[in-house]
Amino acid sequence: MRTPGVTAETAVDRTDGTADRRREQRGWYFYDFACSVYSTSVLTVFLGPYLTSVAKAAADADGFVRPLGIPVRAGSVFAYAVSVSVVVAVLVMPLVGAVADRTGRKKPLLAAAAYLGATATACMFFLDGDRYLLGALLLIVANASISVSMVLYNAYLPQIAGPEERDAVSSRGWAFGYTSGALVLVLNLVLYTGHESFGLSESTAVRICLASAGVWWGAFTIVPLRRLRDRKIAREGGGSTGEGAVGAGWRQLMATLRDMRRHPMTLSFLLAYLVYNDGIQTVISQASIYGSEELGLDQTTLITAVLLVQILAVGGALGMGRMARVYGAKRTILASLAVWTVILAAGYFLPAGAPVAFYLLAAAIGLVLGGSQALSRSLFSHLVPHGKEAEYFSAYEMSDRGLSWLGPLVFGLAYQLTGSYRDAIISLVVFFVLGFGLLARVPVGRAIMAAGNPVPERI
């Protein structure tokens, strides 16, 4: 029988010295620094429009491409590829999480996922002409790989940070990610807008921007792989934890799903997170469409707005981390959801052809974006039973990435029914209002105790 908060291996290894733990934390930050460039430059800015143009070059007179003989509108290739990558990630993430927890060897799996994704992203340099199938395949591999790697990366958080410092550590990780995203996006913007002065075509400039994200991802992944360390897992009944890990992965996954039913308050938090994070992800992914189609803004304005979000998200993540130390993570997240609701209401009334107003909205998004995500991650880490970090974070990552189709569906249906992107953007308010209500009902302190973890002074 286990006393709550006391385990065979504590969440933070008590043999770790403070200096060693800090060094490992700094290494952990650098994976966000490495992979966030993919999310910003590739997924948010460049790949969607570019892959669509490549698909249109391969389309017939009616605007269709025909992979495996199936007629697909060229403009839908990017969306469908993202959807397929989500399905692949959903199938792989729980298995990888189960294997990582069974063997205690997260780092080799993190390396494999990171370098598979980085390689696929770097190979996007060869995406030209009418090679839309190559682009779709590389997108599927890269997007699924980053999802799998984030399961493993997030699962380190309870092991390298104590309960009282976890909000700050998680926030710094997000800040590192937004810093790298902003830095590389500045370089991309210089190359893209000045491609003629560099003797490059617009297509070549975009392909360099895409490939450079993969090189950056792979290069900076070296830092966490050198500094993070795996912990030995003590299992009841002895035996080697590595024997049959892959074969036992699915059995352990089923056991994890049954185990999660024993922690209904943890599941309640996951449901709340699924709802409000779906709203956050949809706002981010659809903001460019709203800006270009409804507000009539040009591509340079949209890229600059994304850059502004990245820069301010650094300060937002750190600032909300400090707020959490005073008011608690749950209250700070709830406050951020209220701000998100105000942002959507303001977005509904934005005048067309007014870039300054759009920049102000982007600034507001940046200030709450990083903190909302960082504090959600750290709060969830308190709700995970010891020894099940990777498995539970696979469920968290599925909520983060694997189930992020509902918001775009609501957005698309609202536009289809009304013909107005303004009505589509305001329809997303429901995710923040419902998420707020669900999170407010979660008794976080009791949930942490039920998971067998010590309750921080402020939560």
Side-chain angles (χ1 to χ4, degrees):
M1 200 171 165
R2 183 164 63 88
T3 303
V6 179
T7 61
E9 176 199 52
T10 55
V12 179
D13 193 336
R14 289 175 180 168
T15 63
D16 289 350
T18 300
D20 290 339
R21 190 171 75 253
R22 297 292 185 223
R23 183 177 185 275
E24 196 169 6
Q25 288 172 0
R26 288 191 292 270
W28 184 80
Y29 301 149
F30 266 93
Y31 190 67
D32 249 324
F33 191 84
C35 71
S36 292
V37 172
Y38 166 82
S39 300
T40 302
S41 291
V42 176
L43 204 58
T44 303
V45 177
F46 287 108
L47 186 56
Y50 185 70
L51 180 57
T52 300
S53 69
V54 172
K56 286 181 177 179
D60 58 23
D62 297 321
F64 286 87
V65 292
R66 301 181 183 276
L68 303 177
I70 303 171
V72 175
R73 285 194 180 275
S76 299
V77 169
F78 177 73
Y80 288 152
V82 171
S83 297
V84 172
S85 74
V86 167
V87 174
V88 173
V90 166
L91 293 175
V92 175
M93 283 191 296
L95 176 60
V96 171
V99 172
D101 280 336
R102 182 176 176 83
T103 63
R105 291 174 58 81
K106 299 181 185 70
K107 191 158 67 171
L109 294 169
L110 175 61
Y115 281 107
L116 179 61
T119 300
T121 306
C123 287
M124 290 178 185
F125 179 79
F126 302 104
L127 175 57
D128 61 354
D130 59 359
R131 297 177 179 176
Y132 75 95
L133 283 177
L134 173 63
L137 177 61
L138 293 175
L139 170 57
I140 291 167
V141 173
N143 218 38
S145 295
I146 197 171
S147 296
V148 171
S149 71
M150 291 304 291
V151 169
L152 301 160
Y153 167 70
N154 288 336
Y156 273 103
L157 180 58
Q159 296 180 332
I160 64 172
E164 300 294 343
E165 61 179 343
R166 213 165 287 168
D167 289 341
V169 170
S170 182
S171 296
R172 290 190 199 107
W174 280 103
F176 265 61
Y178 285 117
T179 299
S180 72
L183 174 61
V184 174
L185 196 55
V186 167
L187 299 176
N188 290 161
L189 184 60
V190 170
L191 181 63
Y192 176 78
T193 57
H195 61 85
E196 292 182 353
S197 63
F198 291 106
L200 301 173
S201 66
E202 181 178 349
S203 171
T204 302
V206 171
R207 290 189 291 117
I208 291 174
C209 292
L210 294 171
S212 65
V215 174
W216 181 284
W217 184 359
F220 283 100
T221 295
I222 295 172
V223 179
L225 292 180
R226 287 179 63 88
R227 294 195 174 186
L228 291 173
R229 64 183 181 84
D230 288 328
R231 274 78 170 167
K232 292 181 180 179
I233 301 296
R235 296 288 180 186
E236 293 182 3
S240 170
T241 59
E243 293 179 3
V246 174
W250 287 110
R251 292 194 299 274
Q252 188 168 336
L253 171 59
M254 294 300 104
T256 300
L257 296 176
R258 289 193 297 271
D259 185 73
M260 292 187 75
R261 293 170 58 187
R262 296 171 49 235
H263 300 281
M265 289 177 284
T266 300
L267 283 176
S268 295
F269 174 83
L270 268 182
L271 176 60
Y273 177 73
L274 182 155
V275 172
Y276 70 74
N277 184 66
D278 204 356
I280 292 173
Q281 297 302 324
T282 306
V283 172
I284 297 305
S285 65
Q286 303 303 319
S288 293
I289 293 177
Y290 184 70
S292 61
E293 299 297 325
E294 185 68 34
L295 304 180
L297 302 175
D298 58 37
Q299 182 70 17
T300 300
T301 299
L302 297 176
I303 293 175
T304 308
V306 172
L307 176 59
L308 181 62
V309 169
Q310 297 296 307
I311 294 172
L312 292 179
V314 176
L318 297 176
M320 288 181 64
R322 294 189 183 97
M323 288 178 61
R325 290 202 295 269
V326 177
Y327 301 105
K330 178 181 174 180
R331 291 188 184 90
T332 306
I333 295 170
L334 289 172
S336 76
L337 298 182
V339 174
W340 275 107
T341 304
V342 173
I343 287 171
L344 288 178
Y348 178 82
F349 293 105
L350 275 187
V356 174
F358 191 72
Y359 287 146
L360 291 174
L361 195 69
I365 289 174
L367 290 174
V368 294
L369 175 61
S372 303
Q373 296 172 318
L375 293 178
S376 296
R377 176 172 64 186
S378 63
L379 182 55
F380 181 72
S381 72
H382 293 287
L383 308 179
V384 177
H386 172 67
K388 300 179 182 293
E389 291 86 3
E391 293 174 59
Y392 272 61
F393 266 109
S394 70
Y396 178 87
E397 195 67 17
M398 287 171 67
S399 297
D400 190 3
R401 299 173 187 272
L403 299 176
S404 57
W405 52 268
L406 184 57
L409 176 62
V410 170
F411 185 92
L413 287 175
Y415 176 73
Q416 181 173 331
L417 294 173
T418 67
S420 168
Y421 280 107
R422 293 185 186 274
D423 291 337
I425 203 75
I426 201 66
S427 71
L428 301 178
V429 165
V430 66
F431 289 92
F432 296 101
V433 173
L434 182 57
F436 184 101
L438 291 172
L439 178 58
R441 292 172 57 87
V442 178
V444 174
R446 286 170 48 203
I448 294 173
M449 288 189 288
N453 296 320
V455 182
E457 182 179 350
R458 294 284 185 183
I459 195 66

